[in-house]
Amino acid sequence: MPLIKVASGVVNQTPMAWEANTRNIVDAIREARKQDVSLLCLPELCISGYGCDDYFFAPDMVEQAQHCLLEIAEETAGMIVAVGLPLRHNGSLYNAACLISNKQIAGFYCKQNLANNGIHYEARWFRPWQPGVVESIEVNQMFYPIGDLIFDVASGPILGGSHGVKIAFEICEDGWVANRPARRHYERGVDIILNPSASHFAFNKFMVREKLVVDASRSFSCSYIYTNLLGNEAGRAVYDGDAMIASNGDLLASSPRFSYEDFVITTAVIDTEYTRLSQVQSKIAVPAKERTWRIPARFDFPDIEPVLPQVPEIEPFEKGGALKEEEFARAECLALFDYLRKSRSNGFTISLSGGADSCACTALCGLMIRLADESIGMDRFKQKLSYIKEIQSARTEEDLAKALIHNIYQGTENSSSDTLESAQSLAESIGSTFYNVNINGLVETYKGLIEDQIGRKLTWEQDDIALQNIQARVRAPGVWLLTNLSNHLLLATSNRSEAAVGYATMDGDTSGSISPLAGIDKHYLRQWLRWLETVGCEVKGKHIRIEGLKKVNSLQPTAELRPLAQTQTDEADLMPYEFLNDLEGLAIRDKKSPLESYKNLYVRYKATYSVEQLLGWTERFFKLWSRNQWKRERYAPSFHLDDRNLDPRSWCRFPILSGGFEKELAELRAYVKGAAVQNGRKRIGF
């Protein structure tokens, strides 16, 4: 029995959707059985869903998960299956993985290292299991081992397990820490390590995971099976469905990422004798004598024929040299699709101003249709959205876009023909429904009402911000009305750069159910739009370019809220977007003080901008950042893309009221003034 066919199964789950989650798991098991898989690993907390948050505390949560576990166990005839669920034990809650062998529960391994940084708050709900501890737990009037376990699975009568296959676990974070459980597993002669994970998407993170998995299989002379969740599970985190199987330092198989399926099975054949040979040749430490961790289990592994060398395929979109652009498109589109179907909404409505942000939101919705069609086909697409009657007769992607994507351009006297042309050309290129209304009369009505009350005329010289904001806010009621008429989701169109400095009108361009761009900076977004127009996204072997973006890519970003004669631009209002992005990274991600941020920026930009500009922009950023936390608190939910997220509910907390960096900025000004004096003084004797 040296050869075993194993599989990693990714599933698209929803918190507390017990029937749907169980169905996906059972369907994955049945598909694995069709492919003659003996051992299947499914993701972390896949029964309950990973993003249940404080509902993990509910007693009913554990009871429902156990009911589902017993139902799943009945589907595992002729297979070994690992599934994740929350467990209560001795007054504590644990993140556990259950190993089921041929319809029999063998035991529960509990996570030892909890993810508690970034978007993860596992220590709020779960308790880490202590290494080396093994206890028992009652489930459905039966007692099972729980804790730091290794399962010794043997064919025939179990008489000490000398010929068994040893299977161990690392649950997600367990594999990312220095003192990982695999070190102890190695000393115990483990053959296979299963890693059921809920590892959220971030740019290029799949390469880090691959290194982790391959290096573990080599370092610990084992076969390592890694699996993950798929899709937009709970609203913010996106899972790319990245799964891998490695053995003795070789990657044997990897899954397709960003699938629109409910589950994906990735298989490989592992050779246990090959990994044992490596252990025999490399081990020098004395093995541990205690045996409490060994849990015997029975399974008759079938004899299988050898296979040709196994090499994982690289997906087409990963070959083209624009990996971040492709990942951004795929992560956002999959997140939008899952948000749409899980909220049972009928489509997306976007207030399309013709600017970069609203055009990006519209383009992403159009790409979502194309990428979903590539992944599952139009029939499955319509089936997954079967509650939307308007799309069931659609025959083309344009038919789908007309029903699912609604755009409205709401111009005033300050709007230009350029932005109208930009909005119209994009809507036409993807096939969305387009509306054009003039709201200048509404703006004038509101102005008149207030002017009558305060007894004076509003002017741009005296009332600049108020006059800009009323235009943005007047657009909100109309677009909300249009959204509600179709039971759509309204997409907010503000980006991360604007969130950092509060350059957004609350209840204006921040209005919406979700804010898909709040995790991406404006500097990169403009690059992505140019790439999408000129190169395009890899779909069905072709590059899908959205040529309707040509007009917006030729325009300088502007809010178009001041009179046209003032030629308002975003960068004139704020600072260059590239500089803003670098400053935000230093100040917020890296937590550097205003002075340290300035020093870094001076090195980067001293040849481009003056000291006065660098100082002014740095001061402006820190003042605006501290004043506008209340806006970030009110943003619609955004999708997590990387470690620069500003969402205070999942990543970046900051007080609403603070000292505003007054002392720190005074120190910065003193430093710059001192440097200027020193540079202007003739130095003698040194």
Side-chain angles (χ1 to χ4, degrees), residues 92-103:
S92 297
L93 191 66
Y94 294 97
N95 181 338
C98 177
L99 192 78
I100 309 167
S101 178
N102 196 23
K103 300 172 67 172

Side-chain angles (χ1 to χ4, degrees), residues 307-613:
V307 297
L308 294 172
Q310 301 164 88
V311 180
E313 293 185 9
I314 298 176
E315 294 186 78
F317 78 84
E318 295 176 352
K319 302 176 184 177
L323 186 57
K324 183 175 181 180
E325 286 76 10
E326 293 278 4
E327 283 196 323
F328 174 65
R330 281 167 164 74
E332 286 274 337
C333 291
L334 180 57
L336 286 168
F337 181 77
D338 275 347
Y339 205 111
L340 178 69
R341 69 181 183 88
K342 291 182 180 183
S343 66
R344 295 191 68 80
S345 301
N346 285 0
F348 302 105
T349 295
I350 304 107
S351 183
L352 184 56
S353 69
D357 299 324
S358 59
C359 284
C361 287
T362 301
L364 284 167
C365 292
L367 271 180
M368 177 202 76
I369 295 172
R370 276 78 179 172
L371 289 170
D373 181 38
E374 176 190 49
S375 178
I376 57 177
M378 187 169 293
D379 289 342
R380 287 272 288 130
F381 181 95
K382 292 191 289 187
Q383 179 187 355
K384 278 181 167 284
L385 300 176
S386 59
Y387 62 90
I388 306 178
K389 305 305 179 187
E390 293 82 0
I391 69 170
Q392 299 310 311
S393 60
R395 295 186 177 182
T396 66
E397 293 165 339
E398 288 73 21
D399 291 341
L400 291 172
K402 189 171 184 62
L404 293 177
I405 310 169
H406 291 176
N407 293 126
I408 181 170
Y409 181 87
Q410 301 180 85
T412 69
E413 62 185 14
N414 299 322
S415 303
S416 68
S417 59
D418 285 335
T419 53
L420 175 57
E421 182 184 338
S422 170
Q424 280 183 317
S425 61
L426 176 58
E428 289 171 3
S429 69
I430 66 169
S432 65
T433 298
F434 182 76
Y435 302 96
N436 179 13
V437 300
N438 189 291
I439 61 167
N440 207 68
L442 290 172
V443 174
E444 292 302 317
T445 298
Y446 276 104
K447 283 174 59 181
L449 289 172
I450 299 303
E451 287 171 342
D452 288 345
Q453 295 299 310
I454 65 175
R456 69 173 179 85
K457 291 290 184 180
L458 299 176
T459 67
W460 286 103
E461 292 74 21
Q462 187 174 350
D463 310 298
D464 178 77
I465 296 298
L467 288 175
Q468 288 192 65
N469 284 345
I470 189 59
Q471 295 168 77
R473 290 195 175 108
V474 164
R475 291 178 174 131
V479 73
W480 270 119
L481 176 59
L482 187 63
T483 300
N484 293 156
L485 288 173
S486 302
N487 189 32
H488 277 201
L489 291 165
L490 176 59
L491 301 189
T493 58
S494 192
N495 60 67
R496 195 187 75 220
S497 298
E498 294 172 349
V501 292
Y503 190 68
T505 304
M506 297 311 298
D507 308 311
D509 51 344
T510 60
S511 294
S513 311
I514 46 178
S515 189
L517 304 182
I520 201 73
D521 65 276
K522 186 66 167 274
H523 180 64
Y524 173 76
L525 192 65
R526 294 181 68 193
Q527 294 179 28
W528 182 79
L529 287 170
R530 287 192 288 269
W531 169 82
L532 190 57
E533 176 210 343
T534 58
V535 179
C537 191
E538 175 85 27
V539 182
K540 294 183 178 179
K542 299 179 181 178
H543 285 280
I544 301 299
R545 297 189 300 273
I546 299 183
E547 296 179 356
L549 293 169
K550 184 175 182 178
K551 186 64 178 181
V552 70
N553 287 335
S554 70
L555 300 176
Q556 182 73 8
T558 173
E560 280 197 335
L561 297 176
R562 291 195 184 107
L564 291 174
Q566 295 189 24
T567 60
Q568 179 184 21
T569 67
D570 293 353
E571 291 185 310
D573 283 353
L574 295 170
M575 62 195 76
Y577 275 121
E578 183 179 16
F579 182 90
L580 172 56
N581 187 48
D582 287 344
L583 177 49
E584 179 218 304
L586 290 164
I588 309 307
R589 181 194 60 194
D590 302 340
K591 305 294 186 289
K592 292 189 181 298
S593 68
L595 177 55
E596 289 302 316
S597 297
Y598 172 85
K599 288 179 178 179
N600 278 271
L601 292 164
Y602 179 76
V603 171
R604 300 181 197 181
Y605 290 100
K606 63 182 178 181
T608 309
Y609 304 114
S610 68
V611 169
E612 290 76 15
Q613 287 176 308

Side-chain angles (χ1 to χ4, degrees), residues 19 54 115 168 207 278 286 321 352 554 558 626 646 679:
E19 292 180 352
D54 281 359
M207 291 187 281
S278 182
V286 178
L352 184 56
S554 70
T558 173
S626 56
L646 303 183
N679 291 337

Side-chain angles (χ1 to χ4, degrees), residues 36-53:
D36 298 319
V37 168
S38 293
L39 172 60
L40 170 65
C41 181
L42 293 164
E44 175 182 17
L45 295 172
C46 61
I47 291 179
S48 61
Y50 179 82
C52 297
D53 292 345

Side-chain angles (χ1 to χ4, degrees), residues 262-280:
D262 295 325
F263 65 89
V264 177
I265 300 296
T266 302
T267 67
V269 174
I270 61 171
D271 186 342
T272 55
E273 288 300 335
Y274 178 49
T275 53
R276 288 172 182 173
L277 174 63
S278 182
Q279 289 186 20
V280 168

